[in-house]
Amino acid sequence: MQIVYLGLGTNSGERLLNLKRACEELKIADRVDVFRKSSVFHTEPWGYTEQAYFLNAVLEIRTTLDSRELLSVVKQIEKRIGRKKSFRWGPRVIDIDIISFGNERIGTKGLVIPHPEMHLRKFVLVPLAEIAPFFIHPVHNESIWRLLVQSPENEVLWHSTFPD
């Protein structure tokens, strides 16, 4: 059983509903158990800033799927919720990123784990620190809490509870 952290983001449509639906879809996926979920954080857009603010959250799941199988599952869920191809950092109904997959380090076309920019993004670090502050980043060998303290001051505006 692998402990995996997934980052969820949405800035189009019914944002809270999109997060709730992504979580529900993961709960019913074969060989996936949603173990813990962070609060929902209202955040500034990253990269392309001329768009609506995002809602972001992190889920801790337990799975017997391998990383490629999990990637396939999350891409199918994104499609079912209504994600369409867009430009990099553009608006999206839902985005589900594999932040980490146990202590694995994977660098293949289409899948890089841990997420290569997670240590720079408060919209990932803040919700991850809420549910796993002592998780050690497999590349930087620092706790998420320490990475958060060292990260630039920007992005996260407020939070609320994850929708049930």
Side-chain angles (χ1 to χ4, degrees):
M1 197 58 108
Q2 287 284 0
I3 297 173
V4 177
Y5 295 101
L6 301 176
L8 280 63
T10 175
N11 75 336
S12 297
E14 297 290 328
R15 297 177 306 158
L16 276 174
L17 185 59
N18 298 341
L19 292 177
K20 180 178 180 178
R21 183 154 177 223
C23 187
E24 293 301 319
E25 292 268 349
L26 285 159
K27 284 180 181 178
I28 62 172
D30 288 338
R31 300 167 47 201
V32 174
D33 178 34
V34 175
F35 190 73
R36 194 175 305 164
K37 52 191 176 184
S38 74
S39 299
V40 174
F41 293 84
H42 185 88
T43 62
E44 296 174 0
W46 175 272
Y48 176 68
T49 59
E50 299 300 315
Q51 60 181 319
Y53 281 28
F54 278 79
L55 294 184
N56 292 97
V58 169
L59 301 179
E60 178 181 318
I61 67 167
R62 310 285 170 100
T63 186
T64 56
L65 298 171
D66 67 33
S67 57
R68 284 275 175 205
E69 291 170 324
L70 181 59
L71 180 62
S72 177
V73 167
V74 299
K75 292 302 175 194
Q76 290 170 22
I77 291 170
E78 287 177 341
K79 189 175 181 180
R80 282 195 299 272
I81 294 173
R83 175 136 186 206
K84 305 277 190 251
K85 287 231 180 226
S86 182
F87 57 93
R88 186 173 184 179
W89 297 319
R92 64 213 50 196
V93 170
I94 193 69
D95 184 29
I96 305 171
D97 288 330
I98 302 173
I99 304 287
S100 70
F101 193 91
N103 287 322
E104 289 191 30
R105 294 169 75 173
I106 301 167
T108 62
K109 185 175 178 166
L111 183 61
V112 179
I113 297 173
H115 193 284
E117 296 173 347
M118 70 180 274
H119 65 288
L120 302 173
R121 297 177 171 181
K122 275 197 170 175
F123 66 84
V124 173
L125 293 173
V126 170
L128 184 55
E130 180 185 36
I131 63 173
F134 303 109
F135 170 73
I136 302 297
H137 191 290
V139 173
H140 296 284
N141 202 29
E142 295 274 5
S143 72
I144 294 305
W145 183 251
R146 183 129 175 96
L147 291 171
L148 175 58
V149 169
Q150 296 170 357
S151 69
E153 292 297 319
N154 62 0
E155 299 169 8
V156 175
L157 301 176
W158 56 264
H159 78 281
S160 61
T161 57
F162 201 96
D164 287 326

